[in-house]
Amino acid sequence: MASEDLSTAIRAALRTADPRAKVMATRALVRRWRKGELAHAFSVTMPDRPAWPDYLELRPPGQMPKRGKGGSDRNRQALWHSLAHIEFVAIDLALDMAGRFGGAMGRAFVGDFLSVAADEALHFALVDRKLHSMGLRYGDLPAHDGLWASAQATAHDVAARLAVVPMVLEARGLDVTPAMIERVRAQGDEHGSRILERILDDEIRHVAVGARHFKDWCHKAAVPTDSAWISLVKEHFAGVVKPPFNDSARLAAGLSRTAYGALA
């Protein structure tokens, strides 16, 4: 019999600042949800911001140091630290999606995004371990706040959140990761390339989850999917949808080439 409701557990994980503790809290709540130990109820609201380590220096994206593409130790550390930050914030993005919108969107929506959160927790753990092997910890370098800014801009509207976070921000990862894999492999880091391949495979599925629920929302709202997506991205995304695109990965994730091509 479920004694605690889902929103309370999600909020607690979002309010966990220590990176490893957040990973453990996320895994634990997903296990409890799958076992039926958390009631599908939403008694508390989600925080405006999740808790992050107080030693993490956040900068606007435009003030981040330029990262080189060479194989120097400094460039490699900057790359993996950037990936660690993306995966850490992705845990909170998936948790917030389930906790903020799950009451209205239903159990299948909740289950999908909790599965995404569990994957992101695993990704962060893999990248964090990689960072430690390089003599670094997450938070040793500055990070930008652009990902959560997009979450805040879409906190009022599940369609906008789906359009921007999985279908723009995560989809961008599908475009840039293959070249990153080749660059890391060319530097002789086969272990790193395998981590990135695992992340890419999972991210195709994550984008597909977002695209599927967005299409379902459009169907229920009786609006055309492509034009609704284009309109929401124009309204709520401050960045640019830019090529080159990984069309095969985007197709596998269910994204419309007509739609993203119209914004390129």
Side-chain angles (χ1 to χ4, degrees), residues 18-21 23 55 80-81 83-85 87-88 91 120-140 191 195 199:
D18 178 77
R20 292 188 180 185
V23 166
Y55 51 79
W80 287 98
H81 192 276
L83 291 170
H85 182 62
E87 298 302 335
F88 184 70
I91 301 171
E120 305 294 13
L122 172 62
H123 296 171
F124 175 79
L126 291 171
V127 176
D128 186 50
R129 197 176 305 142
K130 182 72 172 175
L131 266 186
H132 279 262
S133 77
M134 302 167 75
L136 217 63
R137 71 166 181 171
Y138 174 54
D140 281 350
H191 173 253
I195 293 173
I199 290 173

PDB file of all heavy atoms in Angstrom, residues 18-21 23 55 80-81 83-85 87-88 91 120-140 191 195 199:
ATOM      1  N   ASP A  18      23.597  17.697  -3.135  1.00  0.00           N
ATOM      2  CA  ASP A  18      24.803  16.909  -3.373  1.00  0.00           C
ATOM      3  C   ASP A  18      24.604  16.003  -4.588  1.00  0.00           C
ATOM      4  O   ASP A  18      23.617  15.257  -4.659  1.00  0.00           O
ATOM      5  CB  ASP A  18      25.112  16.049  -2.150  1.00  0.00           C
ATOM      6  CG  ASP A  18      26.333  15.187  -2.368  1.00  0.00           C
ATOM      7  OD1 ASP A  18      27.463  15.709  -2.298  1.00  0.00           O
ATOM      8  OD2 ASP A  18      26.154  13.975  -2.643  1.00  0.00           O
ATOM      9  N   PRO A  19      25.512  16.041  -5.554  1.00  0.00           N
ATOM     10  CA  PRO A  19      25.284  15.295  -6.801  1.00  0.00           C
ATOM     11  C   PRO A  19      25.072  13.798  -6.595  1.00  0.00           C
ATOM     12  O   PRO A  19      24.129  13.215  -7.160  1.00  0.00           O
ATOM     13  CB  PRO A  19      26.545  15.572  -7.614  1.00  0.00           C
ATOM     14  CG  PRO A  19      27.006  16.903  -7.139  1.00  0.00           C
ATOM     15  CD  PRO A  19      26.701  16.922  -5.674  1.00  0.00           C
ATOM     16  N   ARG A  20      25.920  13.158  -5.814  1.00  0.00           N
ATOM     17  CA  ARG A  20      25.759  11.714  -5.632  1.00  0.00           C
ATOM     18  C   ARG A  20      24.492  11.394  -4.857  1.00  0.00           C
ATOM     19  O   ARG A  20      23.817  10.394  -5.133  1.00  0.00           O
ATOM     20  CB  ARG A  20      26.994  11.138  -4.933  1.00  0.00           C
ATOM     21  CG  ARG A  20      28.229  11.197  -5.825  1.00  0.00           C
ATOM     22  CD  ARG A  20      29.414  10.464  -5.242  1.00  0.00           C
ATOM     23  NE  ARG A  20      30.568  10.548  -6.125  1.00  0.00           N
ATOM     24  CZ  ARG A  20      31.705   9.917  -5.922  1.00  0.00           C
ATOM     25  NH1 ARG A  20      31.855   9.136  -4.851  1.00  0.00           N
ATOM     26  NH2 ARG A  20      32.706  10.043  -6.772  1.00  0.00           N
ATOM     27  N   ALA A  21      24.157  12.247  -3.880  1.00  0.00           N
ATOM     28  CA  ALA A  21      22.917  12.025  -3.131  1.00  0.00           C
ATOM     29  C   ALA A  21      21.697  12.207  -4.031  1.00  0.00           C
ATOM     30  O   ALA A  21      20.692  11.484  -3.894  1.00  0.00           O
ATOM     31  CB  ALA A  21      22.855  12.975  -1.936  1.00  0.00           C
ATOM     32  N   VAL A  23      21.603  11.549  -7.259  1.00  0.00           N
ATOM     33  CA  VAL A  23      21.549  10.320  -8.054  1.00  0.00           C
ATOM     34  C   VAL A  23      20.873   9.204  -7.261  1.00  0.00           C
ATOM     35  O   VAL A  23      19.974   8.516  -7.768  1.00  0.00           O
ATOM     36  CB  VAL A  23      22.975   9.901  -8.484  1.00  0.00           C
ATOM     37  CG1 VAL A  23      22.988   8.464  -9.002  1.00  0.00           C
ATOM     38  CG2 VAL A  23      23.510  10.849  -9.559  1.00  0.00           C
ATOM     39  N   TYR A  55      28.994  25.042  -4.232  1.00  0.00           N
ATOM     40  CA  TYR A  55      30.318  25.358  -4.777  1.00  0.00           C
ATOM     41  C   TYR A  55      30.310  25.442  -6.308  1.00  0.00           C
ATOM     42  O   TYR A  55      31.336  25.738  -6.931  1.00  0.00           O
ATOM     43  CB  TYR A  55      31.357  24.322  -4.332  1.00  0.00           C
ATOM     44  CG  TYR A  55      30.965  22.874  -4.579  1.00  0.00           C
ATOM     45  CD1 TYR A  55      31.084  22.295  -5.837  1.00  0.00           C
ATOM     46  CD2 TYR A  55      30.472  22.086  -3.539  1.00  0.00           C
ATOM     47  CE1 TYR A  55      30.715  20.988  -6.067  1.00  0.00           C
ATOM     48  CE2 TYR A  55      30.104  20.761  -3.760  1.00  0.00           C
ATOM     49  CZ  TYR A  55      30.233  20.214  -5.019  1.00  0.00           C
ATOM     50  OH  TYR A  55      29.861  18.908  -5.235  1.00  0.00           O
ATOM     51  N   TRP A  80      34.405  17.107 -20.475  1.00  0.00           N
ATOM     52  CA  TRP A  80      33.712  16.169 -19.590  1.00  0.00           C
ATOM     53  C   TRP A  80      32.997  16.884 -18.450  1.00  0.00           C
ATOM     54  O   TRP A  80      31.943  16.425 -17.991  1.00  0.00           O
ATOM     55  CB  TRP A  80      34.693  15.108 -19.081  1.00  0.00           C
ATOM     56  CG  TRP A  80      35.040  14.137 -20.164  1.00  0.00           C
ATOM     57  CD1 TRP A  80      36.139  14.149 -20.962  1.00  0.00           C
ATOM     58  CD2 TRP A  80      34.233  13.044 -20.622  1.00  0.00           C
ATOM     59  NE1 TRP A  80      36.082  13.128 -21.888  1.00  0.00           N
ATOM     60  CE2 TRP A  80      34.922  12.432 -21.696  1.00  0.00           C
ATOM     61  CE3 TRP A  80      33.009  12.521 -20.229  1.00  0.00           C
ATOM     62  CZ2 TRP A  80      34.419  11.320 -22.375  1.00  0.00           C
ATOM     63  CZ3 TRP A  80      32.498  11.416 -20.909  1.00  0.00           C
ATOM     64  CH2 TRP A  80      33.201  10.832 -21.959  1.00  0.00           C
ATOM     65  N   HIS A  81      33.529  18.030 -18.022  1.00  0.00           N
ATOM     66  CA  HIS A  81      32.811  18.794 -17.000  1.00  0.00           C
ATOM     67  C   HIS A  81      31.513  19.363 -17.572  1.00  0.00           C
ATOM     68  O   HIS A  81      30.469  19.354 -16.902  1.00  0.00           O
ATOM     69  CB  HIS A  81      33.690  19.925 -16.452  1.00  0.00           C
ATOM     70  CG  HIS A  81      33.118  20.561 -15.217  1.00  0.00           C
ATOM     71  ND1 HIS A  81      32.174  21.559 -15.271  1.00  0.00           N
ATOM     72  CD2 HIS A  81      33.339  20.298 -13.892  1.00  0.00           C
ATOM     73  CE1 HIS A  81      31.847  21.906 -14.038  1.00  0.00           C
ATOM     74  NE2 HIS A  81      32.535  21.153 -13.187  1.00  0.00           N
ATOM     75  N   LEU A  83      29.762  18.035 -19.963  1.00  0.00           N
ATOM     76  CA  LEU A  83      28.843  16.899 -20.067  1.00  0.00           C
ATOM     77  C   LEU A  83      28.262  16.536 -18.705  1.00  0.00           C
ATOM     78  O   LEU A  83      27.068  16.214 -18.594  1.00  0.00           O
ATOM     79  CB  LEU A  83      29.565  15.693 -20.667  1.00  0.00           C
ATOM     80  CG  LEU A  83      29.955  15.815 -22.143  1.00  0.00           C
ATOM     81  CD1 LEU A  83      30.874  14.667 -22.536  1.00  0.00           C
ATOM     82  CD2 LEU A  83      28.716  15.834 -23.026  1.00  0.00           C
ATOM     83  N   ALA A  84      29.088  16.576 -17.668  1.00  0.00           N
ATOM     84  CA  ALA A  84      28.595  16.277 -16.323  1.00  0.00           C
ATOM     85  C   ALA A  84      27.487  17.249 -15.938  1.00  0.00           C
ATOM     86  O   ALA A  84      26.452  16.844 -15.372  1.00  0.00           O
ATOM     87  CB  ALA A  84      29.739  16.338 -15.308  1.00  0.00           C
ATOM     88  N   HIS A  85      27.668  18.522 -16.241  1.00  0.00           N
ATOM     89  CA  HIS A  85      26.649  19.517 -15.897  1.00  0.00           C
ATOM     90  C   HIS A  85      25.361  19.268 -16.669  1.00  0.00           C
ATOM     91  O   HIS A  85      24.261  19.331 -16.101  1.00  0.00           O
ATOM     92  CB  HIS A  85      27.174  20.926 -16.181  1.00  0.00           C
ATOM     93  CG  HIS A  85      26.202  21.996 -15.804  1.00  0.00           C
ATOM     94  ND1 HIS A  85      25.758  22.190 -14.514  1.00  0.00           N
ATOM     95  CD2 HIS A  85      25.555  22.925 -16.566  1.00  0.00           C
ATOM     96  CE1 HIS A  85      24.896  23.189 -14.483  1.00  0.00           C
ATOM     97  NE2 HIS A  85      24.756  23.649 -15.721  1.00  0.00           N
ATOM     98  N   GLU A  87      24.233  16.443 -17.842  1.00  0.00           N
ATOM     99  CA  GLU A  87      23.558  15.244 -17.329  1.00  0.00           C
ATOM    100  C   GLU A  87      22.976  15.491 -15.932  1.00  0.00           C
ATOM    101  O   GLU A  87      21.912  14.974 -15.598  1.00  0.00           O
ATOM    102  CB  GLU A  87      24.516  14.056 -17.308  1.00  0.00           C
ATOM    103  CG  GLU A  87      25.049  13.647 -18.675  1.00  0.00           C
ATOM    104  CD  GLU A  87      23.960  13.278 -19.666  1.00  0.00           C
ATOM    105  OE1 GLU A  87      22.857  12.876 -19.241  1.00  0.00           O
ATOM    106  OE2 GLU A  87      24.204  13.377 -20.883  1.00  0.00           O
ATOM    107  N   PHE A  88      23.680  16.279 -15.105  1.00  0.00           N
ATOM    108  CA  PHE A  88      23.167  16.591 -13.773  1.00  0.00           C
ATOM    109  C   PHE A  88      21.864  17.383 -13.869  1.00  0.00           C
ATOM    110  O   PHE A  88      20.869  17.056 -13.219  1.00  0.00           O
ATOM    111  CB  PHE A  88      24.226  17.380 -12.989  1.00  0.00           C
ATOM    112  CG  PHE A  88      23.839  17.676 -11.568  1.00  0.00           C
ATOM    113  CD1 PHE A  88      23.772  16.667 -10.617  1.00  0.00           C
ATOM    114  CD2 PHE A  88      23.555  18.975 -11.167  1.00  0.00           C
ATOM    115  CE1 PHE A  88      23.418  16.932  -9.307  1.00  0.00           C
ATOM    116  CE2 PHE A  88      23.205  19.250  -9.863  1.00  0.00           C
ATOM    117  CZ  PHE A  88      23.138  18.230  -8.924  1.00  0.00           C
ATOM    118  N   ILE A  91      18.793  15.335 -14.959  1.00  0.00           N
ATOM    119  CA  ILE A  91      18.073  14.611 -13.903  1.00  0.00           C
ATOM    120  C   ILE A  91      16.922  15.478 -13.406  1.00  0.00           C
ATOM    121  O   ILE A  91      15.764  15.039 -13.321  1.00  0.00           O
ATOM    122  CB  ILE A  91      19.002  14.263 -12.721  1.00  0.00           C
ATOM    123  CG1 ILE A  91      20.177  13.408 -13.150  1.00  0.00           C
ATOM    124  CG2 ILE A  91      18.205  13.552 -11.615  1.00  0.00           C
ATOM    125  CD1 ILE A  91      21.241  13.234 -12.056  1.00  0.00           C
ATOM    126  N   GLU A 120      19.211   9.491 -16.770  1.00  0.00           N
ATOM    127  CA  GLU A 120      20.086  10.658 -16.619  1.00  0.00           C
ATOM    128  C   GLU A 120      20.949  10.526 -15.370  1.00  0.00           C
ATOM    129  O   GLU A 120      22.114  10.954 -15.360  1.00  0.00           O
ATOM    130  CB  GLU A 120      19.262  11.953 -16.569  1.00  0.00           C
ATOM    131  CG  GLU A 120      18.323  12.183 -17.740  1.00  0.00           C
ATOM    132  CD  GLU A 120      19.000  12.396 -19.075  1.00  0.00           C
ATOM    133  OE1 GLU A 120      20.224  12.141 -19.199  1.00  0.00           O
ATOM    134  OE2 GLU A 120      18.316  12.819 -20.026  1.00  0.00           O
ATOM    135  N   ALA A 121      20.395   9.931 -14.316  1.00  0.00           N
ATOM    136  CA  ALA A 121      21.185   9.696 -13.100  1.00  0.00           C
ATOM    137  C   ALA A 121      22.349   8.751 -13.404  1.00  0.00           C
ATOM    138  O   ALA A 121      23.472   8.954 -12.924  1.00  0.00           O
ATOM    139  CB  ALA A 121      20.296   9.134 -11.994  1.00  0.00           C
ATOM    140  N   LEU A 122      22.075   7.720 -14.202  1.00  0.00           N
ATOM    141  CA  LEU A 122      23.146   6.801 -14.599  1.00  0.00           C
ATOM    142  C   LEU A 122      24.186   7.526 -15.453  1.00  0.00           C
ATOM    143  O   LEU A 122      25.398   7.365 -15.245  1.00  0.00           O
ATOM    144  CB  LEU A 122      22.566   5.618 -15.373  1.00  0.00           C
ATOM    145  CG  LEU A 122      23.590   4.674 -16.011  1.00  0.00           C
ATOM    146  CD1 LEU A 122      24.461   4.011 -14.942  1.00  0.00           C
ATOM    147  CD2 LEU A 122      22.899   3.618 -16.871  1.00  0.00           C
ATOM    148  N   HIS A 123      23.730   8.331 -16.399  1.00  0.00           N
ATOM    149  CA  HIS A 123      24.657   9.079 -17.250  1.00  0.00           C
ATOM    150  C   HIS A 123      25.565   9.966 -16.400  1.00  0.00           C
ATOM    151  O   HIS A 123      26.782  10.016 -16.616  1.00  0.00           O
ATOM    152  CB  HIS A 123      23.901   9.957 -18.255  1.00  0.00           C
ATOM    153  CG  HIS A 123      23.094   9.197 -19.245  1.00  0.00           C
ATOM    154  ND1 HIS A 123      22.205   9.811 -20.102  1.00  0.00           N
ATOM    155  CD2 HIS A 123      23.029   7.867 -19.525  1.00  0.00           C
ATOM    156  CE1 HIS A 123      21.628   8.891 -20.866  1.00  0.00           C
ATOM    157  NE2 HIS A 123      22.112   7.711 -20.530  1.00  0.00           N
ATOM    158  N   PHE A 124      24.954  10.690 -15.455  1.00  0.00           N
ATOM    159  CA  PHE A 124      25.772  11.555 -14.620  1.00  0.00           C
ATOM    160  C   PHE A 124      26.807  10.744 -13.848  1.00  0.00           C
ATOM    161  O   PHE A 124      27.974  11.145 -13.747  1.00  0.00           O
ATOM    162  CB  PHE A 124      24.923  12.374 -13.640  1.00  0.00           C
ATOM    163  CG  PHE A 124      25.779  13.177 -12.693  1.00  0.00           C
ATOM    164  CD1 PHE A 124      26.366  14.362 -13.107  1.00  0.00           C
ATOM    165  CD2 PHE A 124      26.049  12.716 -11.412  1.00  0.00           C
ATOM    166  CE1 PHE A 124      27.201  15.079 -12.264  1.00  0.00           C
ATOM    167  CE2 PHE A 124      26.881  13.423 -10.559  1.00  0.00           C
ATOM    168  CZ  PHE A 124      27.451  14.614 -10.977  1.00  0.00           C
ATOM    169  N   ALA A 125      26.397   9.615 -13.301  1.00  0.00           N
ATOM    170  CA  ALA A 125      27.326   8.783 -12.529  1.00  0.00           C
ATOM    171  C   ALA A 125      28.496   8.330 -13.400  1.00  0.00           C
ATOM    172  O   ALA A 125      29.655   8.332 -12.955  1.00  0.00           O
ATOM    173  CB  ALA A 125      26.595   7.589 -11.942  1.00  0.00           C
ATOM    174  N   LEU A 126      28.221   7.947 -14.650  1.00  0.00           N
ATOM    175  CA  LEU A 126      29.284   7.520 -15.563  1.00  0.00           C
ATOM    176  C   LEU A 126      30.244   8.669 -15.870  1.00  0.00           C
ATOM    177  O   LEU A 126      31.468   8.498 -15.847  1.00  0.00           O
ATOM    178  CB  LEU A 126      28.674   6.990 -16.867  1.00  0.00           C
ATOM    179  CG  LEU A 126      27.907   5.676 -16.798  1.00  0.00           C
ATOM    180  CD1 LEU A 126      27.188   5.418 -18.118  1.00  0.00           C
ATOM    181  CD2 LEU A 126      28.834   4.522 -16.459  1.00  0.00           C
ATOM    182  N   VAL A 127      29.685   9.842 -16.165  1.00  0.00           N
ATOM    183  CA  VAL A 127      30.528  10.990 -16.523  1.00  0.00           C
ATOM    184  C   VAL A 127      31.279  11.493 -15.292  1.00  0.00           C
ATOM    185  O   VAL A 127      32.458  11.878 -15.386  1.00  0.00           O
ATOM    186  CB  VAL A 127      29.672  12.101 -17.160  1.00  0.00           C
ATOM    187  CG1 VAL A 127      30.523  13.337 -17.447  1.00  0.00           C
ATOM    188  CG2 VAL A 127      29.025  11.606 -18.461  1.00  0.00           C
ATOM    189  N   ASP A 128      30.632  11.479 -14.129  1.00  0.00           N
ATOM    190  CA  ASP A 128      31.288  11.917 -12.897  1.00  0.00           C
ATOM    191  C   ASP A 128      32.478  11.014 -12.576  1.00  0.00           C
ATOM    192  O   ASP A 128      33.549  11.492 -12.169  1.00  0.00           O
ATOM    193  CB  ASP A 128      30.268  11.895 -11.755  1.00  0.00           C
ATOM    194  CG  ASP A 128      30.822  12.480 -10.471  1.00  0.00           C
ATOM    195  OD1 ASP A 128      31.376  13.592 -10.514  1.00  0.00           O
ATOM    196  OD2 ASP A 128      30.711  11.821  -9.421  1.00  0.00           O
ATOM    197  N   ARG A 129      32.312   9.719 -12.784  1.00  0.00           N
ATOM    198  CA  ARG A 129      33.417   8.785 -12.559  1.00  0.00           C
ATOM    199  C   ARG A 129      34.566   9.085 -13.536  1.00  0.00           C
ATOM    200  O   ARG A 129      35.733   9.024 -13.181  1.00  0.00           O
ATOM    201  CB  ARG A 129      32.917   7.353 -12.731  1.00  0.00           C
ATOM    202  CG  ARG A 129      33.838   6.279 -12.147  1.00  0.00           C
ATOM    203  CD  ARG A 129      33.213   4.910 -12.273  1.00  0.00           C
ATOM    204  NE  ARG A 129      31.892   4.863 -11.667  1.00  0.00           N
ATOM    205  CZ  ARG A 129      30.863   4.189 -12.160  1.00  0.00           C
ATOM    206  NH1 ARG A 129      30.988   3.515 -13.284  1.00  0.00           N
ATOM    207  NH2 ARG A 129      29.701   4.190 -11.531  1.00  0.00           N
ATOM    208  N   LYS A 130      34.191   9.425 -14.768  1.00  0.00           N
ATOM    209  CA  LYS A 130      35.208   9.799 -15.763  1.00  0.00           C
ATOM    210  C   LYS A 130      35.957  11.054 -15.314  1.00  0.00           C
ATOM    211  O   LYS A 130      37.192  11.132 -15.411  1.00  0.00           O
ATOM    212  CB  LYS A 130      34.520  10.038 -17.115  1.00  0.00           C
ATOM    213  CG  LYS A 130      35.463  10.388 -18.256  1.00  0.00           C
ATOM    214  CD  LYS A 130      36.266   9.192 -18.681  1.00  0.00           C
ATOM    215  CE  LYS A 130      37.068   9.484 -19.929  1.00  0.00           C
ATOM    216  NZ  LYS A 130      37.945   8.349 -20.277  1.00  0.00           N
ATOM    217  N   LEU A 131      35.230  12.035 -14.824  1.00  0.00           N
ATOM    218  CA  LEU A 131      35.851  13.260 -14.327  1.00  0.00           C
ATOM    219  C   LEU A 131      36.847  12.956 -13.209  1.00  0.00           C
ATOM    220  O   LEU A 131      37.953  13.491 -13.190  1.00  0.00           O
ATOM    221  CB  LEU A 131      34.785  14.211 -13.786  1.00  0.00           C
ATOM    222  CG  LEU A 131      34.194  15.290 -14.684  1.00  0.00           C
ATOM    223  CD1 LEU A 131      33.284  16.183 -13.860  1.00  0.00           C
ATOM    224  CD2 LEU A 131      35.275  16.109 -15.358  1.00  0.00           C
ATOM    225  N   HIS A 132      36.430  12.106 -12.276  1.00  0.00           N
ATOM    226  CA  HIS A 132      37.309  11.770 -11.155  1.00  0.00           C
ATOM    227  C   HIS A 132      38.594  11.095 -11.644  1.00  0.00           C
ATOM    228  O   HIS A 132      39.663  11.314 -11.068  1.00  0.00           O
ATOM    229  CB  HIS A 132      36.565  10.868 -10.153  1.00  0.00           C
ATOM    230  CG  HIS A 132      35.681  11.621  -9.217  1.00  0.00           C
ATOM    231  ND1 HIS A 132      36.046  11.961  -7.937  1.00  0.00           N
ATOM    232  CD2 HIS A 132      34.445  12.142  -9.392  1.00  0.00           C
ATOM    233  CE1 HIS A 132      35.068  12.633  -7.363  1.00  0.00           C
ATOM    234  NE2 HIS A 132      34.079  12.760  -8.226  1.00  0.00           N
ATOM    235  N   SER A 133      38.493  10.309 -12.709  1.00  0.00           N
ATOM    236  CA  SER A 133      39.692   9.658 -13.250  1.00  0.00           C
ATOM    237  C   SER A 133      40.660  10.665 -13.856  1.00  0.00           C
ATOM    238  O   SER A 133      41.830  10.361 -14.057  1.00  0.00           O
ATOM    239  CB  SER A 133      39.292   8.613 -14.307  1.00  0.00           C
ATOM    240  OG  SER A 133      38.935   9.237 -15.536  1.00  0.00           O
ATOM    241  N   MET A 134      40.153  11.877 -14.132  1.00  0.00           N
ATOM    242  CA  MET A 134      40.971  12.947 -14.699  1.00  0.00           C
ATOM    243  C   MET A 134      41.424  13.927 -13.614  1.00  0.00           C
ATOM    244  O   MET A 134      41.978  14.990 -13.915  1.00  0.00           O
ATOM    245  CB  MET A 134      40.177  13.678 -15.791  1.00  0.00           C
ATOM    246  CG  MET A 134      39.714  12.768 -16.915  1.00  0.00           C
ATOM    247  SD  MET A 134      38.486  13.532 -17.995  1.00  0.00           S
ATOM    248  CE  MET A 134      39.535  14.633 -18.923  1.00  0.00           C
ATOM    249  N   GLY A 135      41.144  13.589 -12.351  1.00  0.00           N
ATOM    250  CA  GLY A 135      41.566  14.450 -11.250  1.00  0.00           C
ATOM    251  C   GLY A 135      40.668  15.635 -11.007  1.00  0.00           C
ATOM    252  O   GLY A 135      41.082  16.642 -10.420  1.00  0.00           O
ATOM    253  N   LEU A 136      39.405  15.544 -11.437  1.00  0.00           N
ATOM    254  CA  LEU A 136      38.472  16.661 -11.328  1.00  0.00           C
ATOM    255  C   LEU A 136      37.189  16.173 -10.665  1.00  0.00           C
ATOM    256  O   LEU A 136      36.867  14.988 -10.711  1.00  0.00           O
ATOM    257  CB  LEU A 136      38.153  17.166 -12.740  1.00  0.00           C
ATOM    258  CG  LEU A 136      37.968  18.655 -12.988  1.00  0.00           C
ATOM    259  CD1 LEU A 136      39.252  19.401 -12.686  1.00  0.00           C
ATOM    260  CD2 LEU A 136      37.540  18.897 -14.428  1.00  0.00           C
ATOM    261  N   ARG A 137      36.457  17.090 -10.050  1.00  0.00           N
ATOM    262  CA  ARG A 137      35.119  16.760  -9.576  1.00  0.00           C
ATOM    263  C   ARG A 137      34.138  17.736 -10.209  1.00  0.00           C
ATOM    264  O   ARG A 137      34.515  18.846 -10.616  1.00  0.00           O
ATOM    265  CB  ARG A 137      35.017  16.835  -8.048  1.00  0.00           C
ATOM    266  CG  ARG A 137      35.064  18.246  -7.500  1.00  0.00           C
ATOM    267  CD  ARG A 137      34.619  18.335  -6.051  1.00  0.00           C
ATOM    268  NE  ARG A 137      34.680  19.732  -5.625  1.00  0.00           N
ATOM    269  CZ  ARG A 137      34.205  20.186  -4.475  1.00  0.00           C
ATOM    270  NH1 ARG A 137      33.649  19.356  -3.619  1.00  0.00           N
ATOM    271  NH2 ARG A 137      34.283  21.468  -4.167  1.00  0.00           N
ATOM    272  N   TYR A 138      32.886  17.328 -10.277  1.00  0.00           N
ATOM    273  CA  TYR A 138      31.846  18.219 -10.796  1.00  0.00           C
ATOM    274  C   TYR A 138      31.764  19.444  -9.887  1.00  0.00           C
ATOM    275  O   TYR A 138      31.627  19.332  -8.673  1.00  0.00           O
ATOM    276  CB  TYR A 138      30.509  17.479 -10.831  1.00  0.00           C
ATOM    277  CG  TYR A 138      29.349  18.359 -11.207  1.00  0.00           C
ATOM    278  CD1 TYR A 138      29.371  19.118 -12.376  1.00  0.00           C
ATOM    279  CD2 TYR A 138      28.211  18.428 -10.394  1.00  0.00           C
ATOM    280  CE1 TYR A 138      28.308  19.924 -12.718  1.00  0.00           C
ATOM    281  CE2 TYR A 138      27.135  19.228 -10.740  1.00  0.00           C
ATOM    282  CZ  TYR A 138      27.189  19.981 -11.897  1.00  0.00           C
ATOM    283  OH  TYR A 138      26.134  20.793 -12.235  1.00  0.00           O
ATOM    284  N   GLY A 139      31.859  20.627 -10.490  1.00  0.00           N
ATOM    285  CA  GLY A 139      31.867  21.868  -9.737  1.00  0.00           C
ATOM    286  C   GLY A 139      33.229  22.530  -9.700  1.00  0.00           C
ATOM    287  O   GLY A 139      33.350  23.681  -9.281  1.00  0.00           O
ATOM    288  N   ASP A 140      34.270  21.832 -10.158  1.00  0.00           N
ATOM    289  CA  ASP A 140      35.608  22.431 -10.178  1.00  0.00           C
ATOM    290  C   ASP A 140      35.745  23.483 -11.278  1.00  0.00           C
ATOM    291  O   ASP A 140      36.636  24.333 -11.211  1.00  0.00           O
ATOM    292  CB  ASP A 140      36.677  21.350 -10.375  1.00  0.00           C
ATOM    293  CG  ASP A 140      36.977  20.587  -9.095  1.00  0.00           C
ATOM    294  OD1 ASP A 140      36.505  21.020  -8.017  1.00  0.00           O
ATOM    295  OD2 ASP A 140      37.677  19.557  -9.156  1.00  0.00           O
ATOM    296  N   HIS A 191      37.298   4.289 -23.812  1.00  0.00           N
ATOM    297  CA  HIS A 191      36.348   4.251 -22.693  1.00  0.00           C
ATOM    298  C   HIS A 191      35.391   5.439 -22.759  1.00  0.00           C
ATOM    299  O   HIS A 191      34.167   5.293 -22.617  1.00  0.00           O
ATOM    300  CB  HIS A 191      37.111   4.259 -21.359  1.00  0.00           C
ATOM    301  CG  HIS A 191      36.230   4.381 -20.158  1.00  0.00           C
ATOM    302  ND1 HIS A 191      36.147   5.532 -19.410  1.00  0.00           N
ATOM    303  CD2 HIS A 191      35.379   3.498 -19.572  1.00  0.00           C
ATOM    304  CE1 HIS A 191      35.286   5.359 -18.428  1.00  0.00           C
ATOM    305  NE2 HIS A 191      34.813   4.128 -18.500  1.00  0.00           N
ATOM    306  N   ILE A 195      31.128   5.605 -23.347  1.00  0.00           N
ATOM    307  CA  ILE A 195      30.183   6.345 -22.506  1.00  0.00           C
ATOM    308  C   ILE A 195      29.286   7.223 -23.376  1.00  0.00           C
ATOM    309  O   ILE A 195      28.060   7.237 -23.216  1.00  0.00           O
ATOM    310  CB  ILE A 195      30.932   7.213 -21.473  1.00  0.00           C
ATOM    311  CG1 ILE A 195      31.654   6.341 -20.447  1.00  0.00           C
ATOM    312  CG2 ILE A 195      29.963   8.171 -20.756  1.00  0.00           C
ATOM    313  CD1 ILE A 195      32.541   7.124 -19.491  1.00  0.00           C
ATOM    314  N   ILE A 199      25.175   7.198 -23.980  1.00  0.00           N
ATOM    315  CA  ILE A 199      24.343   8.384 -23.781  1.00  0.00           C
ATOM    316  C   ILE A 199      23.539   8.695 -25.040  1.00  0.00           C
ATOM    317  O   ILE A 199      22.336   8.970 -24.977  1.00  0.00           O
ATOM    318  CB  ILE A 199      25.213   9.580 -23.355  1.00  0.00           C
ATOM    319  CG1 ILE A 199      25.741   9.361 -21.928  1.00  0.00           C
ATOM    320  CG2 ILE A 199      24.430  10.887 -23.447  1.00  0.00           C
ATOM    321  CD1 ILE A 199      26.749  10.407 -21.471  1.00  0.00           C
TER     322      ILE A 199
END
